[in-house]
Amino acid sequence: MCGIVGYFGERNGMPIVLQGLKRLEYRGYDSAGLVLLKENTLEIIKTKGKVSELIALANGREAKIVVGHTRWSTHGEPNYINAHPHTSMDNSIAIVHNGIIENHAELRKELQEKYNFTFRSQTDSEVIAQLIQFFYKGDFEEAFRKMLTKIEGAFGIVALHKDHKQILCARKGSPLVLGVNNGEFFIASDPSPFLEYTKEVIYLNEKQMASIEETGYKIKDFNGFNIEMEIETIPFGIESIQKQGFEHFMLKEIYEQAETIQNCFRGKIRHIENISIKKENIKRIIFVSCGTSYYASLVGKYILEKSSHIPVVVEYASEFRYRHPMLYPTDLVIAVSQSGETADTLEAIRLAKKLSCSVAGIVNVTGSSIAKECGQGIYVHAGPEIGVASTKAFTSQIIAMNLLNVYLNKDPYYRAELIEELEQLPEKVKAFFKTQDVKAIAEKYKDSKYFMFMGRDINYPVAMEGALKLKEISYIPAEGYPAGEMKHGPIALIDENTPTVFLVTKDTVYTKVISNMEEVKSRKGKIICICNEMTEEIERLSDDIILIPKVRWECTPILNVLPLQLFAYHIANANGREIDQPRNLAKAVSVE
Ligand code: AGP
């Protein structure tokens, strides 16, 4: 996944685009570049490395038409040559691209062998600029559209031609949003780069393009026919994407969860009919998702099966799409995705549609590819999640699972009780943050070399999520298990150097979890216990205890995960890790 920002107007667009690229580094940060259009000349500035290096290189330059890119490499290693923008052989055209051109090799081969084109980079993206040159006979937009007919795959493309005061862009599978503000225009992968200039936006839909010129903008389909698109107003402000005094975006996003879970249920909880998912004739729900969203899906399974008695299957999207799943028209396949751009999840939904299933999305990013592909679902409204490690999106996904449960449940008394509990959750989340000091406990274990996380029933997926949080930002090996699995192998790993985090709530499996804790204790394992009630056993068996407020079982994952998020954060921070942009990761895995 990569970040794109462009400006067209009367201001010097350089500081706008450079600041915008900084805000999009969560989408990828291994190289960056700019193209400036001035007096029929394209000036390219690129760097292997982060946007801060590009800012230094671009110091003092000015331009009223400028497009920038920050990269997460998919084809070709992160280096100067492979950094975007890419130019055509004759340097008349420059493009930036987010996505994958799946037929780039054959196109490159044809241009090289039949038409003597020379290529500079190892990227798939370069073929876009070369194709536009190939088709260019004086009409930039016509050449751009002809290029679009040749490429296959996922793309968000923004292009400039040295002889045309115009920005052209196109979307298929990767997001692009146009910002409009009294004769100046912005184009970006999401609205955060230009929020302080305008909140009036147009999300390009699949297979739509836009032309930006001095006379204004036009939205068209790939055949060049004009399309009237409504201007939307972004509901969040620039403050949503600043750190607001926190050291890292991840910490800010952890602490804003009382607000974000409220934003998720606001407007739906008392008007559950506002959930637009068609539910007639649905006999089974299949969640398709990855990573943290997969664990949220598992929580959804426990809630929906136990409370609404609906069969639920949870599938890794990357497995689902290749294993020829047995699907029926009475299946509702739901994509769960924070970014709405995860390639495997998007393709899993496309497979489900091809097999005549109903589909829906539980998505955070409005206007994202998965949201558009599904056409119905629940937006979790967690706001931009900048930290690569997902936190507030997870708890909002759990709220969405509970909203789906209310929406599908047939017992009005049960629904009323759950709605009342959900409305009290923000205060309980705030109470937790006020009373518990996770930092001190985390720092006590920061030098441990391996951790286990254990939970049963609805706490099992939360244990898995706690392990993922820790390993992805601290790089310390950690495994989550259903506590009942311990005796089937993992207990061999327990010794005095292995801290085990137990999630213990006074529920139907409480005594079973206590037995598991006994087994760890008898092997000198250290125990960190997250519980919602102090008992004699917990006090006797635990080395450290974190108390969370009592809530209904359907909502315990929201409270239980908070200390796990902070535990991972403080251990990683104490070890000097790069919290918001962990190594090897990007915010959305929009390529396979
Ligand atoms: C979670 O902290 C990770 N960043 C990762 O597992 C993520 O949840 C996964 O890539 C799915 O992303 P999505 O929710 O945007 O589809």
Side-chain angles (χ1 to χ4, degrees), residues 453-505:
F453 292 74
M454 297 282 172
R456 281 182 184 252
D457 197 81
I458 200 168
N459 288 327
Y460 148 54
V462 185
M464 300 298 288
E465 169 60 9
L468 175 62
K469 282 287 92 52
L470 181 65
K471 57 190 155 188
E472 70 174 324
I473 62 171
S474 71
Y475 317 148
I476 298 171
E479 283 181 290
Y481 274 103
E485 270 298 292
M486 274 187 57
K487 292 189 291 298
H488 301 285
I491 200 164
L493 293 169
I494 299 294
D495 62 22
E496 64 280 8
N497 303 314
T498 315
T500 301
V501 178
F502 273 98
L503 299 173
V504 190
T505 37

Side-chain angles (χ1 to χ4, degrees), residues 290-293 336-340 342 388-390 468-469 472 589:
C290 307
T292 289
S293 297
V336 182
S337 175
Q338 186 286 128
S339 63
T342 301
V388 167
S390 188
L468 175 62
K469 282 287 92 52
E472 70 174 324
V589 185

Side-chain angles (χ1 to χ4, degrees), residues 81-197:
I81 287 293
N82 291 333
H84 297 217
H86 291 291
T87 52
S88 55
M89 182 172 63
D90 67 0
N91 294 315
S92 65
I93 294 150
I95 65 99
V96 294
H97 166 231
N98 173 24
I100 280 195
I101 306 305
E102 292 173 356
N103 61 338
H104 71 96
E106 64 193 79
L107 292 170
R108 176 190 281 248
K109 187 168 187 289
E110 182 182 7
L111 287 168
Q112 285 173 321
E113 293 179 2
K114 280 175 73 175
Y115 303 101
N116 296 324
F117 270 68
T118 53
F119 282 69
R120 302 182 181 95
S121 78
Q122 303 129 351
T123 67
D124 56 329
S125 308
E126 185 181 352
V127 78
I128 296 168
Q130 304 284 28
L131 275 173
I132 299 172
Q133 177 186 327
F134 175 74
F135 288 118
Y136 183 76
K137 304 281 182 286
D139 183 330
F140 180 31
E141 189 170 321
E142 182 189 60
F144 184 79
R145 277 208 310 279
K146 285 183 175 175
M147 172 275 298
L148 293 176
T149 65
K150 297 292 280 183
I151 59 175
E152 295 164 13
F155 51 84
I157 299 168
V158 179
L160 293 178
H161 189 292
K162 69 181 181 65
D163 298 330
H164 297 261
K165 259 185 112 172
Q166 186 178 25
I167 292 182
L168 294 180
C169 48
R171 169 205 168 126
K172 178 177 170 284
S174 295
L176 277 178
V177 58
L178 175 63
V180 295
N181 179 39
N182 303 326
E184 65 177 356
F185 304 98
F186 309 82
I187 187 77
S189 304
D190 74 33
S192 54
F194 54 75
L195 267 184
E196 64 266 49
Y197 302 101

Side-chain angles (χ1 to χ4, degrees), residues 44-63:
I44 306 287
I45 306 169
K46 299 202 289 191
T47 178
K48 175 189 183 311
K50 293 195 172 182
V51 174
S52 48
E53 289 160 54
L54 185 66
I55 290 171
L57 285 172
N59 187 26
R61 298 287 210 305
E62 296 198 4

Side-chain angles (χ1 to χ4, degrees), residues 377-579:
I378 300 172
Y379 276 131
V380 300
H381 294 310
E385 187 175 67
I386 309 297
V388 167
S390 188
T391 50
K392 61 178 182 174
F394 178 77
T395 47
S396 289
Q397 287 167 344
I398 306 301
I399 293 288
M401 295 296 174
N402 275 295
L403 289 172
L404 186 59
N405 186 30
V406 171
Y407 177 61
L408 297 174
N409 197 283
K410 297 186 171 34
D411 177 347
Y413 299 103
Y414 170 80
R415 288 166 51 153
E417 284 174 3
L418 181 53
I419 285 170
E420 195 181 333
E421 175 77 297
L422 289 169
E423 287 179 324
Q424 291 167 21
L425 275 183
E427 287 313 309
K428 297 197 173 171
V429 167
K430 286 177 193 165
F432 164 74
F433 284 134
K434 278 198 199 99
T435 57
Q436 299 299 303
D437 178 9
V438 179
K439 184 170 189 277
I441 296 174
E443 288 175 347
K444 189 172 151 186
Y445 294 93
K446 71 179 181 64
D447 297 323
S448 300
K449 298 292 179 263
Y450 171 78
F451 287 81
M452 291 178 93
F453 292 74
M454 297 282 172
R456 281 182 184 252
D457 197 81
I458 200 168
N459 288 327
Y460 148 54
V462 185
M464 300 298 288
E465 169 60 9
L468 175 62
K469 282 287 92 52
L470 181 65
K471 57 190 155 188
E472 70 174 324
I473 62 171
S474 71
Y475 317 148
I476 298 171
E479 283 181 290
Y481 274 103
E485 270 298 292
M486 274 187 57
K487 292 189 291 298
H488 301 285
I491 200 164
L493 293 169
I494 299 294
D495 62 22
E496 64 280 8
N497 303 314
T498 315
T500 301
V501 178
F502 273 98
L503 299 173
V504 190
T505 37
K506 283 304 290 296
D507 52 22
T508 51
V509 289
Y510 168 75
T511 54
K512 304 292 181 198
V513 179
I514 292 294
S515 308
N516 297 134
M517 291 170 73
E518 298 274 11
E519 290 154 15
V520 168
K521 205 69 201 168
S522 61
R523 289 159 178 82
K524 300 187 178 48
K526 295 285 185 289
I527 291 179
I528 300 142
C529 181
I530 296 173
C531 59
N532 65 356
E533 187 179 324
M534 286 296 245
T535 64
E536 177 279 327
E537 301 95 343
I538 286 174
E539 291 208 71
R540 172 171 54 83
L541 293 166
S542 306
D543 296 276
D544 294 279
I545 297 171
I546 299 169
L547 198 57
I548 62 162
K550 268 194 170 183
V551 292
R552 286 177 62 102
W553 69 275
E554 303 92 333
C555 303
T556 44
I558 289 168
L559 276 298
N560 272 343
V561 78
L562 301 177
L564 299 182
Q565 295 169 344
L566 289 170
F567 189 72
Y569 173 83
H570 287 301
I571 287 180
N573 206 27
N575 284 291
R577 297 299 189 201
E578 173 73 53
I579 300 282

